[in-house]
Amino acid sequence: MSKQQDTSKLWGGRFTEATDSFVQRFTASVDFDRRMAAEDIAGSLAHADMLCAAGVLSDEELAAIRDGLSQVQEEIRDGSFQWSIELEDVHMNIEARLTELIGITGKKLHTGRSRNDQVATDIRLYLRSAIDSIAGELTRLQHGTVTLAASNTDTIMPGFTHLQTAQPVTFGHHLLAWNEMLQRDYGRLQDCRKRLNRSPLGAAALAGTTYPIDRARTAAALGFDAPTENSLDSVSDRDFAIEFCAFAALLLTHLSRMAEELVLWTSAQFDFIELPDRFCTGSSIMPQKKNPDVPELVRGKVGRVNGHLVSLLTLMKSQPLAYNKDNQEDKEPLFDTVDTVLDCLRAFADMVPAIKPKARQMREAARRGFSTATDLADYLVRLGLPFRDAHEVVGKAVAHGVASNLDLAEMPLETLQAFCPDIGEDVFAVLTLEGSVAARDHLGGTAPAQVAAAAQRALRKLEQR
Ligand code: ARG
């Protein structure tokens, strides 16, 4: 042999020279895909069990593989496992160690499968369990949000449009708006789980295999709902990972909106809430500062998560069937998305229940901003004025209030009557903040009774998960 054969590789047979050392490092994924070791072993156990049932492996061989894999599992757990980039990825690292431990039988494990269906299986198993952890944290956050809403059904604050005071709402109503966003995120997460929970195992490299495999058996053993339908699609598409990242981008978008409000509300200018010190940090130069770092950081994390979504979409775009090495690039964005989502949810689930609303300041802000102007217009409509004329009359009264530094409810009856003589003493009932919110008494409205009922419905939904 003029060239040295590369025998260190599990695929070295047809090669006549060793892999370039840079190429070895460039193509290796073990540094990040070893995160899926537990899933890889679970997949191998299901595959080996099925091969034995199909008569491809003997009972003794299956027992040896089981013992070997459980030792590998143990070595990985206790940190003694020697990961090697010469063995490229998590799959070949584990298989090589198995063979070291149990000899020739270890080499039979890969019968009737390929790393292509193996990796597709591993990512789905990994992501499925990540989804279940995320669902738990999301539920914890929703529970905290709804519970805080239930104890603030009549805490009045200004509602905003264009970040200008619009109409009074209750703090509980505002929190339940957050919960609705999170509720839809939860639905998207479960939709994603449903579609990803199919077993690609048996697709082998791309076309299936000549062995008498039982795909339903491995699917069931791994907790999948069913096997996938088409072998080419099974090893190639990563749309489930893209869907998950799309869920994550929307969730983080929602968390960033909540974060933005927390940042605003803790400022001296709003002063609507108090965040416990444990979620804030100080400034090394300005002794008076208490910065809302946790919400700010969550607001910032949306950038990387959106980036990962675009990475995966771009990775998948134009890929011809079936597996391409491009797909090795799916893992880092996916893993970082999982980590980021879990961290952000944990931060919010811990922090939201600890929010202390400052009811007096919120109420005062609502009172200052002419937030019951629409109520006065509605009152005039009930007296018989067309809405556009009522709007004009109230606009003039507000201009007078701005000039004289008086809120509508603070104006004497005679002042109000100067704008419309039909206004009576009963107008003050609608000009109060309490009257204003109580009047919006329908499904989805901000009346305290509606908010209390909505909070109970939301809690019930959470309990049914
Ligand atoms: N490390 C690879 C990946 O993540 C595993 C599959 C490799 N298959 C192959 N035929 N090169 O995609």
Side-chain angles (χ1 to χ4, degrees):
M1 244 191 320
S2 59
K3 289 176 182 171
Q4 197 199 335
Q5 198 192 329
D6 188 2
T7 50
S8 68
K9 294 277 188 296
L10 297 184
W11 41 251
R14 64 103 71 213
F15 286 77
T16 53
E17 65 175 351
T19 313
D20 179 275
S21 65
F22 164 73
V23 171
Q24 183 141 69
R25 189 161 51 74
F26 186 63
T27 54
S29 56
V30 66
D31 283 347
F32 49 85
D33 65 16
R34 50 193 269 197
R35 188 194 274 238
M36 304 188 303
E39 288 77 10
D40 196 67
I41 290 172
S44 290
L45 286 171
H47 179 66
D49 165 83
M50 180 277 293
L51 287 181
C52 178
V56 178
L57 290 178
S58 71
D59 290 345
E60 295 70 40
E61 286 168 334
L62 174 60
I65 287 172
R66 277 195 186 137
D67 286 352
L69 284 175
S70 104
Q71 181 166 341
V72 170
Q73 176 89 276
E74 202 37 53
E75 290 176 1
I76 293 171
R77 225 177 264 142
D78 70 22
S80 63
F81 191 90
Q82 294 295 311
W83 296 100
S84 143
I85 74 154
E86 279 96 76
L87 290 164
E88 198 176 317
D89 56 25
V90 62
H91 324 292
M92 293 198 289
N93 268 267
I94 290 176
E95 191 188 321
R97 177 65 183 144
L98 176 70
T99 301
E100 236 171 61
L101 288 170
I102 67 168
I104 187 160
T105 305
K107 297 186 182 179
K108 295 191 176 179
L109 172 62
H110 212 51
T111 313
R113 78 170 179 186
S114 146
R115 275 185 296 151
N116 296 351
D117 61 343
Q118 193 176 352
V119 71
T121 305
D122 292 0
I123 311 170
R124 285 170 192 250
L125 289 175
Y126 169 82
L127 187 54
R128 188 181 68 192
S129 101
I131 285 175
D132 292 344
S133 304
I134 289 168
E137 283 298 84
L138 185 48
T139 301
R140 194 162 73 85
L141 168 58
Q142 286 190 257
H143 200 273
T145 306
V146 177
T147 305
L148 187 61
S151 54
N152 284 280
T153 56
D154 52 8
T155 308
I156 290 175
M157 67 180 283
F160 300 93
T161 59
H162 314 269
L163 202 59
Q164 309 288 316
T165 300
Q167 294 172 353
V169 295
T170 61
F171 185 49
H173 197 51
H174 194 112
L175 292 169
L176 289 182
W178 287 0
N179 181 57
E180 286 302 302
M181 303 178 202
L182 299 175
Q183 180 73 19
R184 291 190 295 276
D185 289 327
Y186 186 86
R188 274 183 280 273
L189 182 65
Q190 294 305 329
D191 285 347
C192 170
R193 190 190 196 283
K194 233 176 284 160
R195 266 183 295 278
L196 86 71
N197 202 27
R198 293 290 171 104
S199 174
L201 214 50
L206 77 166
T209 173
T210 55
Y211 297 92
I213 58 168
D214 180 350
R215 297 193 60 214
R217 184 181 175 108
T218 45
L222 294 168
F224 287 115
D225 294 329
T228 50
E229 282 287 337
N230 179 291
S231 63
L232 295 169
D233 172 56
S234 304
V235 295
S236 74
D237 208 335
R238 298 289 183 264
D239 57 354
F240 57 88
I242 297 176
E243 251 189 276
F244 172 78
C245 287
F247 146 81
L250 266 171
L251 171 71
L252 265 282
T253 297
H254 288 151
L255 294 184
S256 81
R257 298 184 65 192
M258 295 161 64
E260 172 77 1
E261 295 188 326
L262 295 178
V263 171
L264 286 172
W265 293 347
T266 51
S267 71
Q269 287 68 25
F270 275 79
D271 197 28
F272 283 6
I273 60 163
E274 176 82 32
L275 272 188
D277 287 358
R278 63 183 184 278
F279 301 110
C280 301
T281 62
S283 155
S284 53
I285 176 170
M286 297 167 284
Q288 85 283 11
K289 292 289 291 267
K290 174 175 161 183
N291 297 325
D293 288 43
V294 171
E296 288 175 274
L297 202 50
V298 170
R299 188 175 61 185
K301 295 276 186 196
V302 72
R304 66 202 288 158
V305 169
N306 284 354
H308 295 328
L309 170 61
V310 174
S311 291
L312 291 193
L313 283 167
T314 312
L315 176 68
M316 204 70 245
K317 182 192 171 293
S318 311
Q319 265 196 53
L321 288 168
Y323 176 84
N324 301 283
K325 183 79 167 179
D326 312 41
N327 280 342
Q328 183 163 293
E329 284 287 306
D330 62 355
K331 285 164 209 70
E332 287 160 295
L334 182 65
F335 294 163
D336 188 67
T337 302
V338 167
D339 293 344
T340 305
V341 165
L342 275 170
D343 282 353
C344 291
L345 282 174
R346 177 187 171 164
F348 262 60
D350 288 347
M351 188 174 61
V352 166
I355 292 172
K356 297 263 171 298
K358 296 184 169 177
R360 199 173 49 77
Q361 283 89 331
M362 285 184 177
R363 192 180 190 291
E364 180 55 23
R367 199 192 58 79
R368 254 184 281 120
F370 299 99
S371 64
T372 57
T374 317
D375 299 81
L376 180 55
D378 290 343
Y379 171 87
L380 295 176
V381 167
R382 286 197 292 277
L383 292 182
L385 263 71
F387 184 79
R388 282 292 155 224
D389 292 347
H391 188 286
E392 173 78 13
V393 166
V394 178
K396 290 200 167 112
V398 167
H400 172 72
V402 171
S404 57
N405 200 21
L406 284 180
D407 191 65
L408 295 171
E410 294 165 346
M411 292 179 192
L413 182 59
E414 305 78 68
T415 307
L416 290 169
Q417 284 173 336
F419 299 105
C420 175
D422 298 341
I423 294 178
E425 191 67 48
D426 59 347
V427 75
F428 293 105
V430 311
L431 290 183
T432 62
L433 297 170
E434 287 71 17
S436 173
V437 293
R440 286 158 172 82
D441 190 15
H442 54 75
L443 182 75
T446 195
Q450 293 291 341
V451 174
Q456 289 318 309
R457 285 197 300 275
L459 279 176
R460 237 172 291 128
K461 272 190 209 159
L462 291 175
E463 274 148 24
Q464 280 159 11
R465 276 184 189 169

